[in-house]
Amino acid sequence: MTPLLDLQRRMASAVMQPLAQSDQMRRRNPQRRSNAKEAAEFIKPNSRLTSFERLEIYNRQYWFRILDSFAEDFPGLRAVVGRKRFDRIARAYLTECPSQSFTLRNLGQFLPQWLADHNDLAGDRYSLAADMLKLEWAHIEAFDAADLPRLTPEALMTLGEDPQLLLQPHISLHELHYAVDDLLLAVRKHDEEQEETGAARAFPIRRWLKNSPEPIYLAVHRADYSVCYRRLERESYLLLTTLRERKPLSEALETAFAQSPLSEEDQAMHIQEWFAAWMALGWFAVPFRSHGENE
Amino acid sequence: MPANRFNGFTEYGVGIGLRIPHYRHILEQKPVVDWFEIISENYMIDGGRPLAILDQILEQYRVVQHGVSMYFGSAQPLNPEHLKRLKTLVKRTNTPWLTDHLCWGSVDGRYTHDLLPIPYTWEAVDTTAEKIRQVRDFVEVPIAVENVSSYAEFHDSVMTEWEFLNEVVERADCGILLDVNNIYVSSVNHDFDPHVYVDSVPAERVAQIHIAGHSRYEKYVLDTHDHPVIDPVWALYEHAIERIGPTATLLEWDDKIPSFEEVHREALKANKYLDKVRLAQTPQRPAGELTEVRA
């Protein structure tokens, strides 16, 4: 190992270690070594600050930055589990899963799986928290995902009798047990009001804790550069999820209506309505081969 | 403004950073602004509102890209995904030059999202210069590196920060983004004369200048970009342009961001100093000399 790499590993390890409860740098690192001794080995003191105090500036800056970014990305999770648990989750997650991307946008990319592995941290609200996380991560992804050239009705006609339709990359499809779409909108409104008035009242979560009697099918997508949530019927959800797997339209329709109580006449009517809405929203993209790229 | 090969032979005036709270004002009011600096990483995405806004800005304004996570000083190789996305953005913006920091911030695939100081060693000179050359050769635009604010010095360092900067830019044959606020902040934190730093920089390599505000604490100064520029930094700026010549100047304001007008007004204070230098550089006609009049 070169001296430069050695120093960078030592410093990164020190900078990224969790803060003490007082938000100061811990006296000892996770290996129980004195951080003051560690800092003194590679950082010079000056007339006002010890080596430890100079290192601590970076340690605190690191945590304040990533905790702010995490809180900005997951206001819904914070409302669900409460501020104390949220802070505990944030610090534990970011300690185990530090950023692996050049952009802070991806800070929460492992959070849904991580929380599933540490569900005790969400207490008895884990199921609601898991649904909320699905939605919040889908929102982040939808915000800046690609918007491919839209499939026009004319182009659709050229794809043959049983086409494989391509969904826009910004669309994600979710089966949920809680009305987290409505909940997240309520949380955002609450947070905006709190910010405007300078108050710091916690979000009243109690009435949202009850799960939905029926599954909720939701598409998270982008329209006019805004991220939107659109409820789907079970059949349309199955149809879209099967199309997303690049299965032919006939197979997607078969899957969608396999256990549907709808009559054939109603099915036909729904299919027509759904496709009219989805085409208007631009949910289907021109298949790759049509705009000169490889699949 | 001195056009040179490190700023694409451009003569830009006084710009400000393009920030989200100002989007609406800029697009609706279309204020006259010499140029905008964008944070590259905010637009290295596949689609969505940020790119749509950027395209609208590009239709009316000159834009220069400024990066925050290339980490030229990292001991480990560059991130190829980062480079690829950066080049895509460069093609979109046609930035005449590209800037990022003389720092490191990631190791073993973990990112601190901070601008960590480099030990001023010969190994670091070689590593950093090599990375700058690699980026320049890949993105095919001139690169200027920015000096960072720092709060720690290393036992390993064998030269001053300005000696390190000079060695790196000579070996990489790149430009300098001279941040006079960062020089001021580091001069307080490390007890050196900021004028010595400015006087040591190769003037012909300075592509751009940054100015910003900072926060003073009891024992150190933190580079927070959340205040107006203080008088000693303006004085250092004046000293820098007297030596370097009138140079493309940008005000950074990243936190507690006030109205567009306030930020722009603060930036335009630079013109007082630029005009003074321009006037001093204008050849003076001897008293009594007659102007030839042609019929």
Side-chain angles (χ1 to χ4, degrees):
Chain A
M1 194 190 319
T2 66
L4 183 62
L5 180 57
D6 180 41
L7 184 142
Q8 292 184 351
R9 281 185 171 147
R10 286 180 84 168
M11 183 152 177
S13 166
V15 165
M16 297 167 94
Q17 66 180 270
L19 295 172
Q21 276 195 333
S22 57
D23 275 346
Q24 306 295 309
M25 190 170 194
R26 292 180 186 216
R27 299 291 137 188
R28 294 190 177 275
N29 68 16
Q31 293 74 43
R32 307 297 304 152
R33 184 161 196 257
S34 155
N35 272 324
K37 280 186 184 165
E38 173 68 4
E41 284 184 11
F42 63 96
I43 291 178
K44 285 184 193 174
N46 69 7
S47 58
R48 301 176 301 280
L49 294 165
T50 63
S51 305
F52 173 85
E53 287 168 328
R54 294 182 115 182
L55 184 59
E56 184 181 41
I57 295 171
Y58 288 103
N59 182 215
R60 283 161 54 89
Q61 279 200 141
Y62 168 75
W63 277 99
F64 296 162
R65 180 178 295 109
I66 59 169
L67 287 171
D68 276 358
S69 181
F70 188 87
E72 209 172 289
D73 285 351
F74 300 106
L77 177 65
R78 186 179 52 211
V80 169
V81 300
R83 285 179 191 162
K84 276 188 184 167
R85 277 188 186 273
F86 181 78
D87 189 58
R88 222 173 294 151
I89 287 170
R91 287 170 196 259
Y93 168 72
L94 293 168
T95 301
E96 277 187 41
C97 304
S99 172
Q100 295 181 28
S101 168
F102 59 82
T103 164
L104 279 167
R105 180 260 194 214
N106 296 329
L107 199 57
Q109 64 182 322
F110 304 116
L111 185 60
Q113 183 55 52
W114 183 88
L115 195 63
D117 297 339
H118 300 78
N119 54 29
D120 55 310
L121 287 177
D124 56 7
R125 295 182 188 170
Y126 170 71
S127 303
L128 175 56
D131 268 10
M132 179 54 83
L133 266 186
K134 273 187 201 172
L135 179 61
E136 293 197 296
W137 183 248
H139 188 111
I140 290 169
E141 296 254 76
F143 178 72
D144 58 13
D147 192 9
L148 300 176
R150 292 178 174 197
L151 186 68
T152 60
E154 295 75 32
L156 176 61
M157 294 301 150
T158 67
L159 296 180
E161 278 184 13
D162 194 11
Q164 289 173 297
L165 294 170
L166 178 66
L167 254 63
Q168 291 286 0
H170 57 75
I171 299 171
S172 60
L173 305 159
H174 307 274
E175 181 177 345
L176 305 164
H177 307 288
Y178 296 85
V180 286
D181 48 349
D182 293 338
L183 171 55
L184 186 53
L185 294 174
V187 168
R188 287 184 188 278
K189 189 164 175 277
H190 171 87
D191 287 355
E192 275 171 25
E193 286 167 0
Q194 296 291 296
E195 203 178 320
E196 274 170 22
T197 58
R201 253 182 338 111
F203 179 81
I205 191 70
R206 197 167 298 274
R207 82 176 182 88
W208 299 90
L209 297 177
K210 200 168 179 303
N211 62 356
S212 165
E214 298 292 329
I216 292 169
Y217 300 100
L218 190 75
V220 178
H221 67 109
R222 205 171 62 227
D224 293 332
Y225 303 116
S226 293
V227 177
C228 305
Y229 311 141
R230 189 180 177 93
R231 294 263 180 117
L232 303 169
E233 293 91 339
R234 180 177 177 277
E235 290 84 354
S236 60
Y237 167 80
L238 291 171
L239 175 55
L240 288 167
T241 47
T242 314
L243 288 174
R244 164 127 289 166
E245 294 165 11
R246 303 306 311 277
K247 301 274 171 55
L249 181 58
S250 61
E251 192 179 329
L253 289 168
E254 202 175 307
T255 307
F257 293 106
Q259 294 173 12
S260 174
L262 293 171
S263 67
E264 280 195 14
E265 196 182 334
D266 283 347
Q267 288 179 18
M269 193 183 72
H270 276 91
I271 292 167
Q272 202 172 12
E273 282 173 7
W274 294 337
F275 272 87
W278 298 339
M279 291 296 286
L281 286 165
W283 278 14
F284 298 113
V286 177
F288 290 116
R289 58 180 173 275
S290 300
H291 47 90
E293 293 181 39
N294 296 321
E295 253 180 281
Chain B
M1 305 282 165
N4 61 39
R5 63 191 174 100
F6 304 110
N7 57 25
F9 298 101
T10 56
E11 294 194 354
Y12 284 14
V14 178
I16 60 170
L18 180 66
R19 300 294 180 263
I20 294 169
H22 298 156
Y23 279 175
R24 177 173 287 186
H25 178 91
I26 296 164
L27 295 175
E28 287 178 0
Q29 305 297 320
K30 301 183 176 30
V32 176
V33 182
D34 288 347
W35 58 289
F36 284 109
E37 185 184 76
I38 60 163
I39 302 295
S40 298
E41 285 78 357
N42 291 346
Y43 303 92
M44 285 158 55
I45 51 180
D46 295 328
R49 186 187 294 275
L51 286 180
I53 299 277
L54 177 61
D55 287 343
Q56 290 181 61
I57 297 287
L58 286 166
E59 282 173 17
Q60 299 176 53
Y61 295 98
R62 301 186 291 197
V63 165
V64 175
Q65 281 181 228
H66 179 54
V68 293
S69 56
M70 186 55 76
Y71 298 146
F72 293 127
S74 172
Q76 292 172 320
L78 293 162
N79 177 339
E81 171 67 10
H82 188 163
L83 276 175
K84 209 173 99 185
R85 285 184 175 271
L86 183 63
K87 187 164 184 171
T88 303
L89 185 64
V90 163
K91 284 179 181 166
R92 192 177 202 116
T93 64
N94 280 316
T95 184
W97 74 96
L98 182 73
T99 61
D100 206 315
H101 299 83
L102 201 57
C103 72
W104 69 280
S106 66
V107 69
D108 299 325
R110 297 182 307 161
Y111 285 72
T112 65
H113 300 283
D114 202 349
L115 309 172
L116 300 175
I118 303 171
Y120 307 132
T121 65
W122 292 108
E123 182 200 353
V125 167
D126 289 341
T127 304
T128 308
E130 173 59 23
K131 286 217 169 59
I132 295 167
R133 280 196 300 267
Q134 285 173 7
V135 176
R136 183 190 53 216
D137 292 348
F138 187 80
V139 298
E140 299 176 301
V141 284
I143 286 179
V145 292
E146 178 182 350
N147 55 293
V148 297
S149 290
S150 63
Y151 318 104
E153 299 162 288
F154 298 107
H155 292 302
D156 283 0
S157 291
V158 295
M159 60 190 99
T160 63
E161 183 184 333
W162 51 94
E163 287 167 344
F164 179 79
L165 171 67
N166 292 351
E167 289 291 342
V168 168
V169 297
E170 285 297 326
R171 288 176 194 224
D173 192 20
C174 70
I176 296 170
L177 162 49
L178 194 68
D179 190 317
V180 291
N181 177 61
N182 288 348
I183 292 177
Y184 178 83
V185 168
S186 294
S187 76
V188 175
N189 290 338
H190 308 317
D191 304 305
F192 64 78
D193 179 351
H195 293 84
V196 172
Y197 195 134
V198 170
D199 290 342
S200 307
V201 167
E204 71 283 2
R205 288 190 181 273
V206 178
Q208 181 190 332
I209 294 180
H210 265 174
I211 47 176
H214 56 250
S215 300
R216 185 177 277 273
Y217 294 89
E218 191 190 339
K219 294 181 177 179
Y220 60 94
V221 176
L222 207 56
D223 182 30
T224 46
H225 297 181
D226 61 352
H227 285 83
V229 181
I230 63 164
D231 287 343
V233 173
W234 280 123
L236 193 60
Y237 172 71
E238 184 177 18
H239 179 73
I241 57 171
E242 278 170 357
R243 180 166 177 271
I244 296 159
T247 304
T249 298
L250 184 120
L251 172 73
E252 293 181 294
W253 202 318
D254 298 316
D255 205 2
K256 299 177 196 157
I257 301 175
S259 69
F260 173 86
E261 288 94 340
E262 193 175 333
V263 173
H264 197 205
R265 204 164 38 241
E266 182 67 14
L268 291 177
K269 287 179 186 170
N271 276 328
K272 184 176 95 178
Y273 305 98
L274 290 166
D275 290 344
K276 205 169 136 190
V277 173
R278 281 191 204 107
L279 191 66
Q281 289 181 347
T282 305
Q284 299 298 303
R285 187 183 301 142
E289 185 185 323
L290 293 174
T291 305
E292 187 183 357
V293 179
R294 292 179 190 275

